[in-house]
Amino acid sequence: MTLRRLYFKMLWEDVKRKLWAVALLGLALFFALPVGMAMVLPSYQPNEYTTMEEVIERRTENVMSMLDFGTKYHVILLALFIAALVMGISTFSYLHNKKQIDFYHSLPVKRELWFAVHIGTGILIPAGIYLISAALSLVVAGVNGVSAAAVLPAAVHGFFSHMLYYSLTYITVVLAVIMTGTRLAAVLGSVVFFVYCPMLSGLVESFYFTFFKTYYYRTPSLWKNVITKISPIYGVSSAWSDGVSMGRVLWALGAILLIGGLSFFLYLRRPSEAAGRTMAFDKSKGFIKVLLVVASGMAG
């Protein structure tokens, strides 16, 4: 009970320290959902060619398009992607500051609790803001004659899908932050995690096209079926374009647990003196260097 009370107290204190993130993301989602909906829906009005029933139907379709996942409304996905980058780097940014990391680690709080608090803050803040924005959007839709019961399934599906892939992006950025010692290195590390495998797969496929005259692009291969899928970007884009199936949900949850477990393991073993260095772990330097140099050399 005492540990739980301490966790929620620390969680609330961490949220108060990130009010700037609450304000920025709140404004972004407020203008993207309730305000955007309030501007779009009244534009549909009945006339001599359109009945009120047809207008309500079009308004309902627009509401579902703005609240659901995998539609033509990309604003929410973009806002949450940027939020994942910002929250992932800012939440664990104290790891890159020698004075701050000494302060945090000198407090009588276990690293396990600090990790749980920061992960909880990074996920609960966007989830709460998105939930409030979606609820306000349903109010705006109701004022414009759209039945909440008709659009609620799409809103629920959109909320859980967006938060699932936000969490996947966020935990990937967290891993990059823990493995690096500066903010610039964390940003570059996040980019590597996002695009390295798809770009490497595309590079190898281009070699096939160039050097093998009998190569057929639809031939199943390890590069297309496995390597290119080792990226949060691939998971988000495939779910967005082809739909959120149960298999994709399980893939995303498995990736979140795997990356989260690895982040937790490295966080517990990350030396405090790693702040300010490009890479936090000496053993990872050679491995990452080989991956980057070989791929860039092959591309060159």
Side-chain angles (χ1 to χ4, degrees):
M1 183 64 70
T2 303
L3 182 61
R4 184 186 306 173
R5 189 178 305 165
L6 177 61
Y7 172 77
F8 285 108
K9 182 179 179 180
M10 293 174 60
L11 188 69
W12 177 243
E13 292 296 327
D14 201 34
V15 170
K16 289 194 293 184
R17 283 193 291 267
K18 293 178 175 58
L19 289 179
W20 59 271
V22 175
L24 291 177
L25 184 58
L27 284 174
L29 293 183
F30 179 73
F31 281 100
L33 284 176
V35 175
M37 203 171 290
M39 295 175 63
V40 171
L41 296 185
S43 62
Y44 300 106
Q45 296 293 338
N47 51 41
E48 62 270 20
Y49 304 106
T50 307
T51 64
M52 190 61 190
E53 288 75 11
E54 293 173 334
V55 169
I56 296 299
E57 184 177 351
R58 292 195 62 183
R59 291 179 178 177
T60 302
E61 292 175 356
N62 272 270
V63 172
M64 294 176 64
S65 177
M66 296 177 74
L67 291 177
D68 206 350
F69 182 87
T71 63
K72 296 181 179 180
Y73 196 63
H74 302 82
V75 180
I76 307 300
L77 186 67
L78 178 61
L80 291 177
F81 179 78
I82 296 174
L85 291 175
V86 174
M87 291 295 295
I89 294 174
S90 63
T91 301
F92 287 88
S93 62
Y94 69 92
L95 295 175
H96 300 157
N97 188 299
K98 294 181 179 180
K99 293 183 179 179
Q100 290 185 4
I101 195 171
D102 288 340
F103 170 75
Y104 274 93
H105 290 173
S106 65
L107 296 175
V109 178
K110 292 184 177 180
R111 287 196 181 191
E112 293 88 342
L113 187 57
W114 278 124
F115 184 83
V117 167
H118 294 316
I119 290 294
T121 302
I123 294 178
L124 292 178
I125 287 178
I129 295 174
Y130 185 90
L131 193 61
I132 293 172
S133 299
L136 292 175
S137 300
L138 292 178
V139 173
V140 173
V143 171
N144 286 273
V146 177
S147 171
V151 299
L152 187 60
V156 173
H157 177 266
F159 172 77
F160 283 105
S161 299
H162 277 114
M163 291 312 305
L164 174 67
Y165 289 103
Y166 165 84
S167 301
L168 176 60
T169 307
Y170 171 73
I171 200 65
T172 304
V173 177
V174 168
L175 178 61
V177 174
I178 293 174
M179 293 184 65
T180 56
T182 64
R183 292 187 180 182
L184 178 59
V187 173
L188 295 177
S190 301
V191 173
V192 169
F193 284 149
F194 289 149
V195 304
Y196 180 82
C197 287
M199 290 185 64
L200 180 63
S201 177
L203 178 64
V204 174
E205 288 292 318
S206 68
F207 286 166
Y208 288 167
F209 276 108
T210 303
F211 298 108
F212 298 127
K213 300 299 183 182
T214 58
Y215 175 70
Y216 181 53
Y217 71 97
R218 290 187 176 180
T219 303
S221 69
L222 175 69
W223 299 99
K224 288 191 299 184
N225 296 345
V226 179
I227 303 300
T228 191
K229 298 179 180 180
I230 307 177
S231 167
I233 299 297
Y234 175 85
V236 175
S237 60
S238 61
W240 185 268
S241 59
D242 301 329
V244 184
S245 63
M246 182 57 65
R248 290 191 174 93
V249 170
L250 294 177
W251 178 89
L253 289 175
I256 291 171
L257 294 176
L258 178 63
I259 299 173
L262 179 60
S263 301
F264 180 68
F265 175 81
L266 294 177
Y267 179 79
L268 295 181
R269 286 154 181 78
R270 189 183 193 275
S272 299
E273 58 271 16
R277 301 188 314 204
T278 303
M279 298 300 298
F281 301 94
D282 293 332
K283 293 182 179 180
S284 65
K285 292 181 180 179
F287 178 71
I288 294 176
K289 184 177 181 179
V290 168
L291 291 179
L292 295 179
V293 170
V294 170
S296 59
M298 291 169 61

